[in-house]
């Protein structure tokens, strides 16, 4: 039997490559009779459901926020589990959260705590997930949840006391306006642990201005030491977000 094209999507600007979601979707659902597809056709990354002949059944998610990945599909319950950024307008738009939604777009629900950046692992049967969440100024916590959003138990909490005893201090998140006077740019400032507010310090801006990512960390983890080390030799180090990248 010959292959038949049922759907085609073309990007005339940035093409997301290795490791990006376009290599993970589409998903076959309903016994292979339907397809869940990821698309940025509106300027925001969302999910769409198609029939096996390529007819659009419905747009599953919508709004000015961005779906980053699909972690699993429960075909029996007709529920999709995905991560997204920018959904909560009262927090850092780069914080990653886990959501569930029905194939028909109903029942959209955030499953993890607000106010933190998360990492997630979904069980094979889509009944449970683990999350490790933090910010650059909070210690990581790992917890087990049901996919109904109910917290089951705490698994691990990072003990920061030995670091604090050695003089460690958290970096400081900040927000500034871009040159257009409208766009919020989220950044992180790293100071010497013995910072003196009465002294002047040279500033280093640490950048990685790729179109697919940036150097601003959202969680507390080991890679912060690249910028922390510079700060401890007498600099103030800042990282500031680009006006556009994969998640905006």
């Amino acid at each position: 039997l010959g292959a038949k094209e049922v759907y085609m999507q073309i990007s005339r600007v940035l093409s997301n490559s290795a490791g990006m979601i376009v290599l993970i979707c589409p998903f076959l659902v309903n016994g292979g009779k339907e397809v869940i597809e990821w698309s940025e056709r509106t300027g925001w990354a969302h999910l769409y459901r198609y029939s096996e002949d390529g007819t659009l059944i419905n747009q599953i998610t919508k709004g000015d926020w961005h779906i980053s990945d699909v972690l699993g599909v429960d075909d029996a319950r007709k529920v999709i589990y995905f991560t997204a950024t920018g959904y909560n307008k009262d927090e850092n738009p780069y914080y990653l959260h886990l959501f569930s939604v029905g194939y028909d777009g109903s029942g959209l629900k955030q499953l993890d705590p607000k106010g933190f950046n998360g990492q997630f692992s979904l069980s094979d049967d889509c009944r449970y997930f683990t999350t490790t969440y933090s910010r650059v100024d909070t210690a990581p916590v790992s917890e087990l949840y049901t996919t109904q959003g109910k917290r089951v138990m705490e698994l691990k909490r990072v003990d920061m006391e030995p670091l604090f005893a050695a003089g460690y201090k958290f970096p400081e998140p900040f927000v500034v306006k871009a040159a257009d006077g409208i766009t919020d740019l989220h950044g992180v400032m790293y100071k010497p642990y013995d910072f003196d507010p009465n002294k002047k310090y040279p500033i280093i801006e640490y950048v990685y201005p790729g179109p697919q990512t940036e150097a601003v960390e959202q969680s507390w983890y080991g890679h912060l030491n690249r910028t922390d080390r510079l700060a401890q030799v007498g600099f103030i180090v800042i990282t500031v977000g680009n006006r556009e990248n994969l998640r905006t």
Side-chain angles (χ1 to χ4, degrees):
L1 295 178
K4 177 184 177 182
E5 180 182 296
V6 295
Y7 173 82
M8 180 173 67
Q9 180 176 210
I10 298 175
S11 175
R12 302 188 186 281
V13 285
L14 170 66
S15 178
N16 298 335
S17 56
M20 306 306 177
I21 188 168
V22 289
L23 299 183
I24 300 173
C25 285
F27 287 87
L28 293 175
V29 297
N30 279 344
K33 295 180 180 180
E34 296 176 355
V35 178
I36 304 297
E37 175 67 0
W38 177 96
S39 173
E40 291 180 316
R41 68 186 64 179
T42 64
W44 298 95
H46 284 291
L47 299 176
Y48 299 79
R49 181 166 61 135
Y50 288 85
S51 66
E52 58 186 337
D53 65 2
T55 301
L56 177 64
I57 299 174
N58 64 283
Q59 181 175 348
I60 300 171
T61 59
K62 61 184 65 176
D64 55 348
W65 47 284
H66 179 106
I67 291 183
S68 302
D69 200 357
V70 175
L71 300 191
V73 174
D74 186 338
D75 214 18
R77 296 176 54 231
K78 302 188 186 314
V79 174
I80 307 164
Y81 298 94
F82 64 89
T83 56
T85 57
Y87 181 80
N88 298 311
K89 306 309 177 187
D90 57 349
E91 67 174 17
N92 187 321
Y94 295 101
Y95 287 170
L96 191 69
H97 293 292
L98 180 64
F99 296 81
S100 62
V101 69
Y103 290 179
D104 61 0
S106 64
L108 177 65
K109 181 179 181 180
Q110 182 176 324
L111 303 176
D112 66 304
K114 288 179 59 177
F116 300 91
N117 188 51
Q119 297 174 305
F120 307 95
S121 179
L122 183 67
S123 64
D124 291 342
D125 61 5
C126 295
R127 294 180 59 201
Y128 298 93
F129 70 92
T130 59
T131 176
T132 298
Y133 60 87
S134 69
R135 299 188 301 263
V136 294
D137 57 353
T138 65
V141 178
S142 296
E143 295 180 330
L144 175 66
Y145 282 78
T146 71
T147 47
Q148 302 302 310
K150 180 181 179 181
R151 180 181 178 274
V152 177
M153 63 184 297
E154 181 177 301
L155 301 173
K156 184 71 175 179
R157 183 179 297 265
V158 173
D159 181 7
M160 300 290 293
E161 290 307 315
L163 280 176
F164 292 145
Y168 176 78
K169 292 182 174 61
F170 283 121
E172 301 173 13
F174 65 88
V175 181
V176 295
K177 292 295 184 183
D180 61 10
I182 300 173
T183 307
D184 284 339
L185 300 181
H186 291 256
V188 180
M189 182 182 301
Y190 303 80
K191 296 177 180 177
Y193 299 152
D194 60 353
F195 174 76
D196 182 348
N198 297 312
K199 290 177 59 177
K200 292 184 177 181
Y201 294 83
I203 294 176
I204 293 177
E205 183 180 1
Y206 181 86
V207 299
Y208 185 86
Q212 82 287 1
T213 187
E214 60 187 28
V216 184
E217 303 293 354
Q218 310 302 336
S219 299
W220 192 93
Y221 74 129
H223 286 180
L224 296 179
N225 62 13
R226 296 175 297 183
T227 38
D228 255 344
R229 282 197 299 261
L230 282 173
Q232 302 327 306
V233 296
F235 298 100
I236 289 177
V237 182
I238 63 171
T239 58
V240 185
N242 311 320
R243 266 190 273 189
E244 65 81 25
N245 69 20
L246 176 66
R247 295 206 281 190
T248 55

